[in-house]
Amino acid sequence: MQQVSLYNLNHKNYSYKPKFEGRYPTRDDLVTVMPFKARKLVKKMDKFIEDEWTEIKKADTGFSALPFYTLTGKKNEVATIKPVYQGYNKYILFEITNDKNTERIMINRQNPDLFRFERTVETDFGYATTKSFNSAHERNEDIETRVGKYVEEYFPKVLPRPKVDQ
């Protein structure tokens, strides 16, 4: 009786050709959380912070300074912007404080669509979180547009203006 082999190891004419039958998404189909202008401002702020770190390291004053920016806004708002590093991830900690509450936004500098939002209220015993949001896991258009408006309002106040040749 002869044994039949279903698999031949010496067969070298194997070829695999994948078929791509789906359509590629258009620019409007792509899901973005942060508005386009705000995304560009976050990228510019990332470059600006890296340049500031370079200047601080070149100065070599003997102590380590941190790029830290404080701004005032309308309705008694005070905003602070500072870099935060968690392992290999780089973030911008953006806090807006007014008379009632504090809103903290942690924006990923490489991918601005990934951010965390938290609203806290001061109590007699510390702080209480009244609202939290993580754009990596959920969607909320009100918070997404609010964060975009904050970025568009405050980041240009810190970023240097382009020089105009006269």
Side-chain angles (χ1 to χ4, degrees):
M1 184 161 163
Q2 187 177 10
Q3 195 174 16
V4 179
S5 174
L6 298 176
Y7 186 74
N8 186 357
L9 293 175
N10 296 326
H11 186 69
K12 297 189 180 203
N13 291 332
Y14 180 77
S15 65
Y16 174 71
K17 296 179 182 174
K19 293 183 180 180
F20 297 106
E21 296 176 356
R23 68 173 185 87
Y24 292 104
T26 62
R27 184 175 177 150
D28 296 332
D29 293 340
L30 296 174
V31 176
T32 58
V33 176
M34 186 88 58
F36 182 71
K37 184 178 178 184
R39 286 176 60 89
K40 285 180 69 174
L41 288 170
V42 170
K43 291 292 187 176
K44 286 181 182 178
M45 183 63 77
D46 176 36
K47 175 135 177 50
F48 179 71
I49 288 172
E50 289 301 320
D51 292 343
E52 288 291 312
W53 272 117
T54 304
E55 291 297 321
I56 289 171
K57 288 176 185 174
K58 282 182 185 177
D60 195 25
T61 59
F63 63 92
S64 179
L66 177 72
F68 183 82
Y69 311 100
T70 304
L71 307 163
T72 58
K74 49 190 165 187
K75 300 178 189 172
N76 293 334
E77 291 180 340
V78 176
T80 58
I81 300 171
K82 63 181 172 181
V84 174
Y85 299 91
Q86 293 179 349
Y88 292 110
N89 298 324
K90 300 176 182 178
Y91 295 97
I92 296 172
L93 176 60
F94 183 34
E95 294 183 332
I96 298 99
T97 305
N98 59 22
D99 297 335
K100 301 178 203 170
N101 56 34
T102 301
E103 296 178 341
R104 289 183 188 92
I105 306 163
M106 288 274 285
I107 303 171
N108 188 323
R109 287 167 42 185
Q110 283 74 33
N111 185 0
D113 284 337
L114 299 176
F115 64 88
R116 291 181 298 229
F117 173 88
E118 180 182 78
R119 181 180 300 134
T120 60
V121 177
E122 188 174 352
T123 64
D124 294 337
F125 304 104
Y127 292 96
T129 301
T130 59
K131 181 73 176 169
S132 65
F133 171 77
N134 188 345
S135 69
H137 304 292
E138 53 191 313
R139 293 283 170 264
N140 185 334
E141 287 187 29
D142 295 335
I143 293 176
E144 292 165 1
T145 55
R146 183 182 194 105
V147 169
K149 286 181 183 177
Y150 280 149
V151 168
E152 291 174 8
E153 179 182 349
Y154 289 105
F155 279 26
K157 294 179 181 179
V158 173
L159 294 171
R161 299 182 193 271
K163 296 178 182 176
V164 178
D165 294 330
Q166 293 182 359

